Every structure is written in C-alpha cells, then in structure tokens.
Amino acid sequence: MSGESERVAHYGDYQNELYGAGLRGVLPKVPVDFATLEARATAAMPRYVLDYVQGGCGDEHTQRWNAEAFRHWGMVPRMLVDTATRDLTTELFGLALPSPIFMAPIGVTGICTQDGHGDIAAAQASAATGVPLMLSTLSNDPMEAVAKACGDTPAFFQLYTPKDTALAESLVSRAEAAGYKAIVVTLDTWVTGWRPRDLNSGNFPQLRGHVLANYFSDPVFGKLLGHAVADDPAAAVGLWARLFGKVLTWDDLAWLRGATKLPIVLKGICHPDDAARAADAGVDAIYCSNHGGRQANGGVAAIDMLPGVVAAAGDVPVLFDSGVRSGSDVVKALAMGARAVGVGRPYLYGLALGGADGAAHVLRSILAEADLMMAVNGWPTLEAVRAAGAARQG
C-alpha cells in the first residue's frame, strides 16, 4: 500500500471519493459512522475476541461514560473566516506529523483479523494514512516486523513493564533498535481489572498463548524459560503470567530514563498533581487516559479530566484517548489542549471488517469529519481550534 497515493490535499476530500464511487454504484465496504461500524463488527467478530474488545470493567459505566461525556462538551463556530485551506499537521517528539491522531495501543489487535496478523495490518494502515501506530507490547507479530510494515510513518512502542528488569530493558532496547520513536509506559495495568464479560466466558486470550510474540521472540525471555517455546507452550505462557506487571512508582522514573534514549511517555495520568509531578520529573509527554474504562470502573470520564491535566502539564505535550469515536470527538479533545488524540476501537473494527484497507478507511473517515468540522466552523488550523476551546454544556 502506498501512503502517498492514499493521502489527499484535505482530509475532508475523502467524502468526494465516497460520493463519486456511489455514483458508480460502489458503496463503502466498511461503514463511515461508528454505530454502524460497531454493529457490523459485532456480527463479524468471533465471540472470544469480541468480548475482550468490547468489554470493560465492572458494569462498564465508566467505559460508556467515556464516550457519552463528549456530548457534554460543545464548541462555538466562527463565521466569515477563510477556511478554504486547512492545516492539521502537528509536532510531537520533534516529528512533523501530517495529522493529530494516532492508533492507540490495543492488546488484541493481532487476533482481530482472520489471519492472526492484525498488528501487521494495522501497521499497513498506518503506512497508508500517515497515522502513527502505537504498538502494544501484547502483539501477535514481533515488534520488529510491525515496525517494518509501518514504512515511513513513525511508530511508538507501548510498554507493559515486566517484573524482570532485564526483560523490560530488552523489550525497550529492541524497540529502540527497530526504529520506534518513543516508549509509552502504561501505568495502570500491572494487574488486570475486573472484567465480567471475560470472566463469565473464562476467556483471557493471553493465557491461551495469543499476542505474546514480543515475549516469545525475546532472548531474555528465552533464557528465563530455559527451552524453546514450542517445546512447552504452556510453560511459556505460565512464565509470561508470572512476569507480567511490575508495580511502578515515581522512584522508577530514573531507571526508565536510563534504559533508553527515546522519549518517555507516561500513560494513565489523570490527576493534575500527577501531571505536574511527571512534568517536573522531565518526562517527554503525558498521556491522559483511563484505559477506556477497561481497568477501573466508577471513574470520571477521561475527557472531563483532560483540561486539568493539560493545565498542570505546562509545556509538556499531552496525549489523550478513551471514548474517541468520531472526528468531532478528536476536534473537541484538541480544543481542550491535547497535542495528539488516540483512536482505539474504531480502527480495530475496521481491521475486523476489512483488514488494513478497512482500518485505513476508518482513519480517513475520522480525519475527514475532523477536517470538515474545522472547515465549516471557521477553524483553519489546530491553533485556531485550541483558541476556540470547548465549553461544558448541559
């Protein structure tokens, strides 16, 4: 797939392609709106994958509220502004990015395509659209192969920090050698939250050996295992389970910084005091996220916590995810101060329905909606979006 051939002068021009195809009797194979996309993917995905993808913690109130809370934020349009030309480019870690969205890390991406190579398909969608992929430690293909499939589009590596220090450092050094541009350390998943859908079905994909390629291909993990993974897969899975999830504290930041030359991003920061402390500690970015409501129930919607995190972060860029379903959600998060916005379930559903092309279509649709919202409402640049801001309503 050629990224340059699929990119357009304005992301909103994608609707012209869709309307033009419709005149020829060709309709989108993958829906452009989230509700239809989710319904189609729900019918298509295997139950054990679907429950893990759609499930949240507890009664899933926080997960639902993450998405619903966007409706309580609104923006005021400005008229008589020339928006014939829009600019959605942004800068992150010294990288010039063509848009302000990225593909959020999801630990079962690999099994969301029928061939079990969903991570490669996601990377191909990244290469096609210029939208960076943030690869989860939990992938079905080794990080090196995924990075190669991203082509010229930058990629970031999300780290679930193992208990074994040597293994953690090996994963980080491999990511650096493979060309990833930042290490994104997840802080809220050293233990798995209470997820009734998976518990009721007795299903946890990793315990069945799925999405563990980065561990099984790691030389340090191999030494700790003492034999080839193929010789005793159950033992390999058992070792992974014992090693997963180091409890990180502020004292660990110096070790993390010493483990790599890459930018360090802390994912899961939601309290302003934590954001301020992270900024003072010299992290390169703060990632406001409550894990989409999958790790803890009863929390505040992530979008409602974003303004406080941005204010406390000062000059440190803030990334955001949780509940993003559309281009308008992206614009609202940008207006509230996010430097870049992570898209999760939507692109995963695109993968399930259409592989790399399906995911690319979903990303292009989200960008088109965001671009057209800016065009119609008088915001030609992301700076104008942030200047407009968003107000709580209702």
Side-chain angles (χ1 to χ4, degrees):
M1 302 175 73
S2 172
E4 292 302 324
S5 66
E6 294 206 17
R7 296 176 197 173
V8 291
H10 284 112
Y11 293 109
D13 294 345
Y14 189 45
Q15 72 171 348
N16 299 332
E17 295 182 33
L18 297 177
Y19 284 134
L23 292 175
R24 302 188 301 274
V26 179
L27 301 181
K29 295 180 180 179
V30 175
V32 301
D33 67 293
F34 182 76
T36 311
L37 177 68
E38 183 172 50
R40 287 268 304 278
T42 297
M45 297 173 76
R47 192 74 201 181
Y48 79 98
V49 178
L50 183 67
D51 281 346
Y52 193 91
V53 169
Q54 292 188 340
C57 190
D59 69 0
E60 301 181 355
H61 172 77
T62 297
Q63 176 173 275
R64 291 190 298 274
W65 188 238
N66 276 335
E68 293 170 4
F70 277 92
R71 301 177 185 177
H72 296 276
W73 292 93
M75 300 178 65
V76 179
R78 301 301 301 270
M79 295 295 103
L80 299 174
V81 177
D82 184 359
T83 57
T85 300
R86 278 92 60 201
D87 183 2
L88 275 71
T89 60
T90 195
E91 181 273 333
L92 190 63
F93 312 130
L95 302 168
L97 302 177
S99 83
I101 71 171
F102 61 92
M103 302 166 77
I106 301 175
V108 290
T109 300
I111 57 175
C112 285
T113 56
Q114 291 184 3
D115 64 1
H117 295 289
D119 300 294
I120 297 294
Q124 292 170 337
S126 174
T129 60
V131 175
L133 172 65
M134 190 175 287
L135 179 71
S136 173
T137 307
L138 298 169
S139 65
N140 238 21
D141 283 283
M143 66 178 81
E144 293 83 0
V146 178
K148 185 176 180 179
C150 287
D152 294 331
T153 302
F156 313 123
F157 182 73
Q158 175 269 335
L159 177 69
Y160 285 126
T161 311
K163 294 184 177 78
D164 185 89
T165 300
L167 177 57
E169 291 176 351
S170 179
L171 292 170
V172 168
S173 65
R174 286 173 59 196
E176 187 169 343
Y180 290 87
K181 302 303 182 183
I183 302 296
V184 182
V185 184
T186 294
L187 305 174
D188 63 359
T189 315
W190 59 272
V191 66
T192 303
W194 183 258
R195 301 176 186 172
R197 294 201 206 194
D198 295 329
L199 291 164
N200 285 335
S201 63
N203 174 59
F204 198 78
Q206 293 88 330
L207 294 179
R208 299 176 186 272
H210 297 297
V211 299
L212 301 181
N214 283 321
Y215 300 90
F216 292 175
S217 62
D218 194 272
V220 173
F221 186 91
K223 289 181 181 178
L224 293 170
L225 184 61
H227 57 74
V229 171
D231 291 342
D232 192 347
V237 171
L239 177 61
W240 168 80
R242 292 193 298 275
L243 293 176
F244 185 83
K246 174 180 172 61
V247 179
L248 294 171
T249 70
W250 294 105
D251 292 338
D252 291 304
L253 292 187
W255 163 70
L256 285 168
R257 175 62 69 193
T260 181
K261 297 178 181 178
L262 292 176
I264 296 289
V265 182
L266 296 185
K267 180 178 184 290
I269 298 290
C270 294
H271 195 290
D273 290 352
D274 289 343
R277 186 166 182 179
D280 289 342
V283 301
D284 298 281
I286 292 166
Y287 193 152
C288 179
S289 167
N290 63 11
H291 216 110
R294 288 177 54 75
Q295 276 296 90
N297 199 33
V300 177
I303 191 65
D304 291 341
M305 296 185 285
L306 177 60
V309 170
V310 169
D315 294 332
V316 177
V318 175
L319 282 59
F320 174 82
D321 77 14
S322 297
V324 176
R325 302 290 184 261
S326 66
S328 63
D329 290 346
V330 168
V331 174
K332 288 178 184 179
L334 294 170
M336 295 164 72
R339 177 74 63 86
V341 179
V343 176
R345 284 186 182 88
Y347 87 78
L348 210 64
Y349 290 150
L351 282 177
L353 292 175
D357 289 339
H361 164 78
V362 169
L363 295 171
R364 294 181 73 189
S365 296
I366 288 172
L367 284 170
E369 183 184 1
D371 180 43
L372 291 170
M373 183 179 181
M374 291 170 60
V376 170
N377 284 345
W379 312 313
T381 64
L382 298 186
E383 289 74 18
V385 168
R386 295 188 178 101
R392 191 168 182 87
Q393 56 185 357

